[in-house]
Amino acid sequence: MDQQLYDFGMIGLGVMGRNFLLNVADDGFGALGTDIDEDSVSALNSEGKDMRVKGVGTQKEFVSLLSKPRKIMMLVPAGKIVDNVIEGLLPLLDEGDILIDGGNSHYDDTDRRYAFLKAKGIRFLGTGVSGGAKGARLGPSIMPGGDRSAWEDVKPILETVAAKVNGEPCVTYIGESSSGHYVKMVHNGIEYGLMQLIAEAYDVLKRVGGMGNDEMSALFTKWNDGRLNGYLIEITAAILKFREEGTETHLLDVILDKAKQKGTGKWTSQSAMDHGVPVPTIDAAVTMRAISAFKEYRQDNSKLYKPIHPDEVALKGEGLADAVEKALYFSFITCYAQGMQLLAETSIDREYNLDLEGIARIWRGGCIIRAELLEKIREAYGKREGLKNMMATKEFRDDLFACRDGVAEVIHQATERGIPTMCMSASLQYFDAFRTENLPLNLVQAQRDYFGSHSYERLDQKGIFHTSWDAPREAKVMDPPSGAEG
Ligand code: 3PG
């Protein structure tokens, strides 16, 4: 009887769920799936017909066919559906069974579900899975957080399923409670930043340099062989040259410029704000998606304001390509640096106890932000315990400094022509702000104290001070004030 039981179950047989399950079966594990949609169940049965794979139509049959402790992953849309699935499943489960949420759930939901399921004796893993449908089939990057004993039980399966880099699986136990989903959220925040930076590079090459799509595709292909190597650069090269069958039109040229979003980038910015960690490249990427959605406003405004044609001769050819390459490398570093610092700070604030080297390691393969740069990031965090921002390391300092002129030049060329480079500009400003010892925020503190008695600290004396600015007298030392509202 036991021989016929399956090792791993999947609820949600959309293309991600089916592919993940077929990947599990590739490695010799018995893989069982269920979905309320009959066509998805049939699709699994036909795609997995020569493997130890089975799709069933009811949760009751599904649960009865899994070996104990049951190992069940849900790959369903984030939100209420996850709660509904859990509610339906709970009466059928036994104590010690393992439930894995492999979707992009918000970390607050994961904290709530973790506590709820723990009280019921169910071991829960909030797990980020990145790599899209292809990654799920061939090897994704997997970020499981939550019940550690559950991780130990599913580890042999997840390690075989995950992508491998130099033989190392792109999966590791991330930490307690919602840490897996938090880390996946930040991964997506970085993804938003990198995508927008590449979009700005494309815009500058096209509108400043006058380059065509095929020429740009060749350039991205060349860059993919260098230090910019990574999945997003690789797919951009492919997208740029893509033509629909039987036409000469590049598909990219007829795609509407309104970017949608499912929320993980915005959550990254929101959480970063809550924790007081600056992630301006990611914020700018989220903002650009929002601006892109206002297509009609942009159309109207483009008629209201004349195009800008500067006297200055545009940078072209190799000179521009080199500057854009530097701008991208510079901005990519700052984007990863912001995401990693957010993880470093929230690891403390949220008691996740994250291993940043391990996170960089499992992002090197399988996931959307995989890139050669992650090996260098892994090394930087591996060498220095407690490192928060990698900009503070010599290896990245040298790169950033060597590329600063490139990003400044690209922003200059674009700004002269009214071409927006919000993400590149945010990256440069972040870098310049973070290397400035004395920022002008002394004035902000003075203003706050002037209108709101919010107090300030001084460079020349210890303590907290308030001044009656319109009747200047000596600054008064005071207890930390509640402050009037401004
Ligand atoms: C995903 O999770 O599918 C993507 O990584 C991010 O999706 P979005 O761009 O639709 O927010």
Side-chain angles (χ1 to χ4, degrees):
M1 167 73 181
D2 259 6
Q3 270 92 338
Q4 285 137 29
L5 295 179
Y6 290 82
D7 305 297
F8 192 84
M10 177 69 73
I11 298 179
L13 298 178
V15 67
M16 277 289 280
R18 274 201 325 268
N19 278 351
F20 194 98
L21 211 48
L22 293 170
N23 185 350
V24 169
D26 274 343
D27 292 308
F29 297 104
L32 183 72
T34 189
D35 197 296
I36 46 171
D37 174 40
E38 282 174 23
D39 291 344
S40 301
V41 175
S42 310
L44 176 70
N45 280 324
S46 76
E47 285 165 28
K49 65 179 183 314
D50 300 322
M51 307 159 97
R52 239 186 109 209
V53 170
K54 185 180 170 74
V56 295
T58 69
Q59 286 203 350
K60 204 164 168 204
E61 187 183 3
F62 173 75
V63 168
S64 72
L65 286 175
L66 287 168
S67 62
K68 292 183 188 175
R70 298 180 183 92
K71 300 165 193 70
I72 300 172
M73 179 180 265
M74 300 176 284
L75 264 173
V76 297
K80 190 77 195 112
I81 297 176
V82 178
D83 292 310
N84 293 344
V85 171
I86 292 174
E87 212 174 290
L89 205 55
L90 254 186
L92 305 171
L93 298 181
D94 293 313
E95 203 171 320
D97 282 348
I98 296 166
L99 206 47
I100 304 167
D101 175 9
N104 276 335
S105 290
H106 191 280
Y107 56 92
D108 282 341
D109 286 333
T110 301
D111 278 333
R112 171 176 57 77
R113 290 172 189 140
Y114 177 73
F116 171 75
L117 288 165
K118 191 172 179 170
K120 306 263 177 212
I122 304 299
R123 296 181 288 162
F124 187 56
L125 286 170
T127 300
V129 179
S130 177
K134 209 165 165 190
R137 184 69 186 85
L138 302 174
S141 174
I142 310 176
M143 296 151 248
D147 190 296
R148 190 181 254 283
S149 75
W151 156 248
E152 296 300 340
D153 284 358
V154 294
K155 189 174 166 185
I157 299 178
L158 296 188
E159 282 193 342
T160 32
V161 163
K164 310 284 177 306
V165 173
N166 306 329
E168 292 178 288
C170 294
V171 58
T172 190
Y173 176 70
I174 299 290
E176 280 294 311
S177 59
S178 58
S179 57
H181 276 146
Y182 195 92
V183 167
K184 172 63 182 359
M185 175 192 76
V186 175
H187 164 286
N188 282 20
I190 295 171
E191 175 185 302
Y192 272 52
L194 302 179
M195 289 167 77
Q196 178 60 30
L197 288 165
I198 293 172
E200 290 174 8
Y202 151 70
D203 206 16
V204 167
L205 291 170
K206 181 166 82 169
R207 293 208 278 157
V208 177
M211 285 175 80
N213 289 337
D214 292 323
E215 203 183 345
M216 285 188 273
S217 172
L219 187 59
F220 274 85
T221 302
K222 185 175 126 198
W223 285 345
N224 199 38
D225 288 333
R227 61 185 175 175
L228 287 178
N229 168 274
Y231 176 70
L232 287 167
I233 295 286
E234 179 191 322
I235 65 166
T236 302
I239 290 167
L240 279 162
K241 66 176 181 203
F242 188 89
R243 291 170 168 87
E244 277 178 312
E245 226 175 290
T247 81
E248 270 311 297
T249 311
H250 288 97
L251 178 57
L252 182 61
D253 292 343
V254 292
I255 291 181
L256 182 67
D257 57 336
K258 279 163 96 167
K260 300 265 162 63
Q261 49 184 316
K262 292 200 290 291
T264 42
K266 180 186 75 179
W267 297 346
T268 306
S269 285
Q270 286 172 329
S271 178
M273 289 282 176
D274 287 344
H275 287 276
V277 183
V279 293
T281 304
I282 297 169
D283 300 337
V286 176
T287 299
M288 281 308 296
R289 288 203 192 186
I291 292 178
S292 82
F294 288 96
K295 175 84 178 173
E296 293 72 23
Y297 282 16
R298 292 188 284 113
Q299 269 168 337
D300 290 348
N301 288 339
S302 72
K303 291 179 195 101
L304 194 62
Y305 296 95
K306 286 197 195 108
I308 303 169
H309 298 296
D311 295 335
E312 185 186 323
V313 178
L315 193 61
K316 300 243 182 243
E318 253 181 56
L320 181 66
D322 286 350
V324 174
E325 192 271 345
K326 279 176 156 185
L328 275 180
Y329 194 59
F330 177 98
S331 308
F332 279 10
I333 293 172
T334 62
C335 185
Y336 283 105
Q338 291 164 34
M340 294 303 281
Q341 190 189 351
L342 177 58
L343 291 179
E345 305 289 353
T346 50
S347 175
I348 300 164
D349 294 358
R350 301 182 62 83
E351 296 179 5
Y352 284 153
N353 198 18
L354 300 176
D355 164 14
L356 296 175
E357 181 195 3
I359 291 167
R361 176 169 56 75
I362 66 164
W363 283 353
R364 289 176 310 161
C367 64
I368 306 298
I369 65 167
R370 64 183 183 258
E372 197 171 299
L373 188 52
L374 276 157
E375 180 59 42
K376 197 163 172 171
I377 297 173
R378 185 191 71 78
E379 276 170 27
Y381 280 95
K383 267 196 256 171
R384 302 171 184 85
E385 217 185 306
L387 175 66
K388 288 197 169 162
N389 193 317
M390 62 200 214
M391 264 175 53
T393 64
K394 188 179 168 318
E395 49 272 43
F396 284 109
R397 180 198 71 186
D398 293 348
D399 280 342
L400 286 165
F401 223 78
C403 291
R404 193 191 172 283
D405 63 339
V407 72
E409 180 65 37
V410 169
I411 293 167
H412 167 73
Q413 292 284 333
T415 308
E416 282 289 294
R417 290 159 183 82
I419 298 167
T421 52
M422 196 179 286
C423 247
M424 284 188 189
S425 302
S427 301
L428 177 59
Q429 297 298 319
Y430 171 82
F431 171 75
D432 280 341
F434 248 137
R435 68 192 186 90
T436 299
E437 185 177 350
N438 294 313
L439 288 169
L441 285 286
N442 51 339
L443 179 56
V444 172
Q445 278 296 77
Q447 290 164 335
R448 291 178 69 246
D449 192 56
Y450 191 108
F451 63 68
S453 305
H454 292 304
S455 79
Y456 55 88
E457 290 173 272
R458 300 175 65 115
L459 294 170
D460 56 352
Q461 293 172 48
K462 280 205 179 314
I464 294 171
F465 298 86
H466 165 61
T467 293
S468 300
W469 291 86
D470 22 12
R473 282 184 294 276
E474 289 240 316
K476 258 195 333 213
V477 181
M478 56 189 292
D479 290 334
S482 54
E485 294 305 313

